[in-house]
Every structure is written in structure tokens, then in C-alpha cells.
Amino acid sequence: MVLKALEWYRGVYEELLAIPVIKGYKTEKEKFAGGHRTTTVEAYVPGSGRSIQGATSHDLGQNFGKMFDISFQNASGTSEVAWQTSWGLTTRTIGVMVMLHGDDQGLVLPPRVAPLQCVIVPIVSKSCPLETISLYCQDVLTTLKAAGVRIKYDDRTIYNPGWKYNHWEQKGVPIRIEIGPRDMENRQVRIVVRRNGEKLDVKMDESFAPFIVEKLEVIQKQMFETAKEIRDMHLVQVTEWKDFVPNLEKNNMVLTPWIGGEHQDWEDWVKEKSREESLAARGEAAEDDRTATSVAAKTLCIPFEQPMLPPGTKCIASDQEATCWILWGRSY
């Protein structure tokens, strides 16, 4: 159940929110207190160069069952202490999506989760008032609604088109459909893609609705691929300590050989040593103990997908033989 929930998390992040994540398990220091094992999905926020824990799924073991006297009768009729799990998504996922995809104009929403996937903005003038162009806009609206597109026709008269463009850009609507007199005459529309400003003139014929539906899927795929490409550019392997903090300063997540997830003492050493060297590199004496954005590195997870670890590879901190690769970063 623990790993099934973790896969649900991955699906929400990658398939719906277009956010690539790394699956793994937490060290003894970072796992849920009192639990047996904690698994996690970890994401990367390029705007800050920090990682963020996407969601965790816990194998609580039998500790809490013993503590609260939770038992059951097994198939053979004897009583056993229950093994428990703990998992679930929170609104943190929305925050991660906003931080990862948003830009200076506001939200950039993946089409699969956007409340509105398209918005129609009419361009009116004295020679072409709203009453004249509205029938054509309604035709576009009806056509796309019938194709399952979540769409709105913004026919408010108190705002001009420029104001509406900015309004819907801030709200992150994936596609804006602009319709002016020439578009109506030529039986076409102009679409503007929120994520990159791409502009296309599209004929309003039998291919129109399928084109928009496909375009929304293309936007979804491109958002994920772009986020993954940026994340992978900031995911580096390091085998010597001298390269560790310089890579943190480049806003990278760092994968290093490690002695094992149970060694909390060396984990603490890396945290303090990286804080000390990072502050020295910045010419700062200390950081506030209350800060939520420390310059110190912390373990994110021991990834499930492990690169090959050549025999004899040394742990980056203890200089003893490494047993796994571990992922570090500056985190929220």
C-alpha cells in the first residue's frame, strides 16, 4: 500500500501537474518519527534552486499498533499487532505547481487541471460592436464545449481586450482565443498560448475542435518536458567533497555516494559543514536559526533508481565504503 500510494503521488505530479519527481525513501534521520520507513517524491523548483518534498507515504510498522493496542485476528485465529500505513496529498501540491510553472505574469496552469482551458476574448470596435461579433463567438464556444473543452466567453463590456488579456494571463488559462472582425470574416480565430506566447491563426472548420483538444495535450506534454529538462540540468553526481558546496551554490541537487541511510551522525556533519562553507563563500558570518531557507544541504531521499556504484567507491563524508547513492539539496 505504501508504494501504491507513492505511485499515485507520482501520477498526480507528473501526469496532471506536469511536475517531474524523484521517488525514494528517507534516511533514518528524515523519516516519520516512530515509523518503520518513509517513502517520498521530491520535486525541484528552478525559480529558487531548491527542492521540495512533494508528498510522503509511510510504513508505520507496528509501533503505533503496540502503543494504542491495535490488534486483529489473523487467518489462523491468533491475535496480531496491526501494521499501519499513513499517506495522503495536501494543498502543498498546488503550491509546488504554482512555484514551478508560474512566471512574472502570474499563474501558468497545466491544461489537465486548469479550471478553464480556454477563454474567448472578443475584439470590438465602433464598426463591429459586441452584438455583431457575439454570434460568431458563441458558435466557437458551443463547438469547443461540445468537444469537452472547459471554456469561457468573456463578453464583459466594462473592460477592454488588453485588460482581459492581462486578467486571464494572471489566472494561467492555457489558451486565449481572440476574435476580431477579420477573424469573423475569414471564419478563423487567433489562439495565444499562455506558457510561451505562441500565436496561431486557426480556421473555424471541422478540424478546429480536434486541433484545440490536441493543442491542449501538446501544451501539457511540453510543460512536463520543459520542467524535466530544467530539473535534469540541475541534477549532478559528485564523488568528492570539494565539489559538493560549489554545486549547491549553482542551485543544483547533488547525488553522492553514501555510507547508508542509518548514519545520522554523518548526515549532521554534511549539514553543518555545507552551511559553514556556503556562508564563507558568500562572505556571511551566520544565518538566523529560524530561517526557513537555510543554505545548508539536507538529504532529500535515497532514490529507488540507483546509478551503478563501482566497488570501492567512498562515501563523500565518512570516506568509508559507500553502500548507495543519496540525493542532497537545499530544501523548503
Side-chain angles (χ1 to χ4, degrees):
M1 189 63 238
V2 171
L3 296 183
K4 184 181 288 187
L6 199 71
E7 178 58 19
W8 289 340
Y9 299 160
R10 185 210 61 78
V12 169
Y13 272 106
E14 295 195 342
E15 296 168 23
L16 296 180
L17 303 180
I19 297 172
V21 293
I22 295 171
K23 295 199 294 185
Y25 61 89
K26 293 288 190 180
T27 62
E28 289 297 303
K29 177 181 174 61
E30 294 293 331
K31 77 176 185 180
F32 185 81
H36 177 64
R37 173 162 288 181
T38 292
T39 62
T40 181
V41 290
E42 300 286 327
Y44 176 77
V45 181
S48 62
R50 288 182 175 269
S51 61
I52 187 165
Q53 178 181 287
T56 48
S57 179
H58 310 283
D59 177 355
L60 298 180
Q62 294 177 300
N63 284 348
F64 295 95
K66 293 173 183 177
M67 188 184 307
F68 295 104
D69 193 24
I70 302 171
S71 60
F72 68 99
Q73 191 177 63
N74 64 21
S76 62
T78 57
S79 180
E80 285 188 40
V81 176
W83 286 72
Q84 294 175 285
T85 63
S86 173
W87 40 271
L89 285 171
T90 72
T91 50
R92 164 189 293 257
T93 56
I94 299 173
V96 177
M97 178 193 68
V98 171
M99 289 194 294
L100 198 143
H101 295 307
D103 59 21
D104 290 343
Q105 293 296 107
L107 295 175
V108 180
L109 297 180
R112 290 182 187 169
V113 296
L116 286 177
Q117 296 172 313
C118 298
V119 61
I120 300 170
V121 177
I123 302 172
V124 299
S125 63
K126 290 181 179 179
S127 60
C128 184
L130 183 63
E131 294 77 14
T132 302
I133 206 169
S134 196
L135 284 176
Y136 183 63
C137 292
Q138 290 287 355
D139 190 17
V140 173
L141 179 72
T142 302
T143 299
L144 291 182
K145 273 190 173 180
V149 177
R150 298 187 293 277
I151 185 169
K152 178 182 178 64
Y153 172 32
D154 189 348
D155 59 353
R156 292 175 292 176
T157 57
I158 58 173
Y159 301 116
N160 62 38
W163 189 96
K164 292 177 183 179
Y165 295 170
N166 184 64
H167 175 76
W168 294 112
E169 283 176 1
Q170 285 184 335
K171 289 185 176 292
V173 176
I175 293 178
R176 183 174 75 242
I177 299 175
E178 302 172 4
I179 300 176
R182 289 184 181 178
D183 299 305
M184 184 173 61
E185 290 172 11
N186 296 327
R187 293 290 297 175
Q188 68 179 33
V189 302
R190 168 160 288 193
I191 70 169
V192 182
V193 177
R194 172 64 181 90
R195 67 174 293 268
N196 59 8
E198 177 188 15
K199 296 180 180 180
L200 294 170
D201 291 326
V202 184
K203 283 293 184 182
M204 176 60 177
D205 54 24
E206 66 277 356
S207 67
F208 174 63
F211 175 84
I212 295 296
V213 171
E214 176 62 23
K215 188 65 175 176
L216 289 167
E217 281 301 305
V218 169
I219 293 169
Q220 180 83 26
K221 181 181 178 183
Q222 289 175 340
M223 289 182 70
F224 176 79
E225 289 176 346
T226 298
K228 187 175 186 300
E229 182 180 352
I230 294 172
R231 193 277 310 273
D232 290 348
M233 287 171 54
H234 290 278
L235 180 59
V236 298
Q237 289 187 25
V238 163
T239 56
E240 297 182 58
W241 178 259
K242 68 180 178 65
D243 299 319
F244 186 81
V245 171
N247 270 287
L248 284 180
E249 289 295 307
K250 294 176 183 177
N251 292 334
N252 291 334
M253 294 189 294
V254 185
L255 196 61
T256 72
W258 191 242
I259 190 173
E262 69 277 13
H263 291 274
Q264 300 182 46
D265 51 346
W266 285 111
E267 212 170 324
D268 289 335
W269 182 88
V270 170
K271 183 177 181 179
E272 293 308 316
K273 185 70 171 174
S274 63
R275 188 203 319 273
E276 175 188 318
E277 292 187 11
S278 292
L279 290 172
R282 297 173 178 213
E284 299 174 11
E287 67 179 5
D288 194 323
D289 291 337
R290 299 166 297 177
T291 183
T293 52
S294 173
V295 298
K298 63 172 287 187
T299 57
L300 307 177
C301 69
I302 299 174
F304 290 160
E305 293 186 7
Q306 290 273 307
M308 186 176 68
L309 186 66
T313 301
K314 299 296 184 182
C315 166
I316 197 169
S318 67
D319 204 36
Q320 299 178 48
E321 186 165 357
T323 62
C324 64
W325 291 89
I326 194 168
L327 187 64
W328 303 82
R330 290 175 175 150
S331 183
Y332 286 101

